[in-house]
Amino acid sequence: MSQQPGQTSDGSRIEVVANIRNAADARDAVKAGAEGVGLLRSEFLFDNRDTAPSEAEQAAEYCAVARELGSDRPLVVRTLDVGGDKPLSYLPLPKEDNPFLGLRGIRVSLDRPDLLRTQLRAILQAAPLTRLHIMFPMVASLDELRAAKAILAEEQASSGHADVKVGIMVEVPSAAILAARFAPEVDFFSIGTNDLTQYVLAMDRGHPQLAKQADALHPGVLAMIAMTCDGARAHGKWVGVCGGLASDERAAPVLVGLGVTELSVSTPAVASVKATLARWSMDECRTLAQQVLALGTVAEVRAHLAQQAR
Ligand code: PEP
Ligand code: MG
């Protein structure tokens, strides 16, 4: 079962892919039945060292991951996502009162285009080896997307690797609200529910006291996911979820019912998410999604899902 393609009980395809950090993770994910990689957290290449990794070092790692997956499986590489809760010793960022609201994700890359260019050149080297996707994190405005895409287009032109899909993470409420306007300019969206929850609820994702309330099943977060799917659908683009909510088997039928067609989960969750999807038809997922969208609190959503669990 875990090696079968992910699908609902009536045969709608839902790709169940994995969140990984490196080639060893990719191998484990494929063994566990992952159909590809929906989030390669590239910052792990940049961590725990004194200098930024060179283009050759990075390319070796991206290509190693791509070889593990092979030419038929998708690989979504997220460009460097640092700042906020992810500092780097050799990339001193200004001291900020609110680092989660400061230089993070794509904002760092656009502030340091030299780092972004090096990374994009390295990622593009994996293009002949796999179904390569490049994804920008923490995008809040079309200006950021366009600036990042312009740099990517230049690097593609000089490398000759044109066949790459480009997407954004939906982690900032403006990206969800404007999904219909982003959609013509991207190939796909991947919803980062960890950050999206923090920014929709204005609750620090690591706050010890608020951790329980910062729940991705909050109706406000679900409404943002629904908006993203509606905006994407209008332009024929696909939506994945790569935040922690995707690994929650109770949430899987809700996400699918909202229009999500790719779930990028932690490797240990691959089998259980596939097994859950196989117990729900697409119509049942849609009905469940509409039911939870109408609820008012996290507790009501969780109680409803517990009652409907299969
Ligand atoms: C997210 O924010 O949901 C996400 C997948 O990114 P990260 O957890 O790496 O910030
Ligand atoms: Mg994030």
Side-chain angles (χ1 to χ4, degrees):
M1 170 87 190
S2 70
Q3 296 300 325
Q4 300 301 312
Q7 56 181 356
T8 58
S9 62
D10 55 338
S12 291
R13 272 289 279 131
I14 306 295
E15 275 192 321
V16 180
V17 292
N19 295 349
I20 65 158
R21 302 184 300 181
N22 53 37
D25 285 357
R27 187 174 321 148
D28 293 344
V30 169
K31 258 194 228 145
E35 301 176 69
V37 166
L39 171 62
L40 171 62
R41 285 186 162 105
S42 67
E43 55 277 8
F44 287 90
L45 265 169
F46 292 73
D47 270 351
N48 295 320
R49 38 185 303 149
D50 301 327
T51 54
S54 67
E55 179 181 333
E57 280 174 275
Q58 291 187 57
E61 192 61 41
Y62 304 137
C63 290
V65 171
R67 275 188 212 99
E68 291 294 341
L69 298 178
S71 54
D72 291 339
R73 295 192 183 91
L75 167 61
V76 182
V77 183
R78 175 172 77 184
T79 61
L80 184 61
D81 184 21
V82 292
D85 59 336
K86 303 165 182 164
L88 283 184
S89 60
Y90 53 87
L91 183 68
L93 295 170
K95 192 161 166 31
E96 298 174 313
D97 287 341
N98 289 303
F100 279 117
L101 304 181
L103 274 177
R104 283 201 66 186
I106 191 69
R107 300 170 191 172
V108 174
S109 292
L110 294 176
D111 188 55
R112 288 289 307 270
D114 53 321
L115 288 182
L116 179 61
R117 277 185 195 280
T118 303
Q119 183 172 32
L120 291 175
R121 279 199 294 272
I123 296 170
L124 287 169
Q125 292 185 43
L129 304 171
T130 189
R131 285 170 46 208
L132 185 65
H133 299 62
I134 294 179
M135 171 161 87
F136 299 113
M138 289 292 304
V139 174
S141 73
L142 272 166
D143 298 327
E144 292 166 333
L145 172 63
R146 289 173 184 159
K149 277 181 68 179
I151 293 174
L152 174 59
E154 285 174 18
E155 296 305 333
Q156 282 184 278
S158 55
S159 68
H161 294 306
D163 188 21
V164 176
K165 303 291 183 202
V166 182
I168 60 166
M169 292 199 65
V170 176
E171 300 174 284
V172 181
S174 59
I177 293 165
L178 294 176
R181 268 166 271 180
F182 275 96
E185 303 190 33
V186 297
D187 295 308
F188 69 96
F189 296 93
S190 185
I191 303 177
T193 51
N194 309 334
D195 275 309
L196 185 61
T197 302
Q198 125 166 308
Y199 293 123
V200 169
L201 301 181
M203 285 180 187
D204 186 332
R205 64 192 269 179
H207 195 293
Q209 235 175 307
L210 297 175
K212 262 199 95 172
Q213 293 171 63
D215 189 323
L217 283 172
H218 189 289
V221 181
L222 295 175
M224 290 278 162
I225 297 172
M227 282 183 108
T228 306
C229 292
D230 292 348
R233 192 181 302 115
H235 296 271
K237 304 299 164 71
W238 62 267
V239 178
V241 173
C242 62
L245 189 62
S247 299
D248 178 345
E249 55 190 274
R250 294 232 168 127
V254 176
L255 296 173
V256 168
L258 291 173
V260 169
T261 58
E262 182 240 42
L263 295 170
S264 192
V265 307
S266 65
T267 292
V270 168
S272 61
V273 167
K274 280 188 181 176
T276 300
L277 291 176
R279 293 195 279 269
W280 291 79
S281 72
M282 185 52 95
D283 272 352
E284 290 167 338
C285 290
R286 290 199 181 113
T287 302
L288 183 72
Q290 291 314 309
Q291 288 166 348
V292 297
L293 274 184
L295 298 174
T297 68
V298 168
E300 288 167 10
V301 173
R302 288 214 170 267
H304 189 71
L305 295 184
Q307 197 197 359
Q308 300 289 319
R310 298 181 178 177

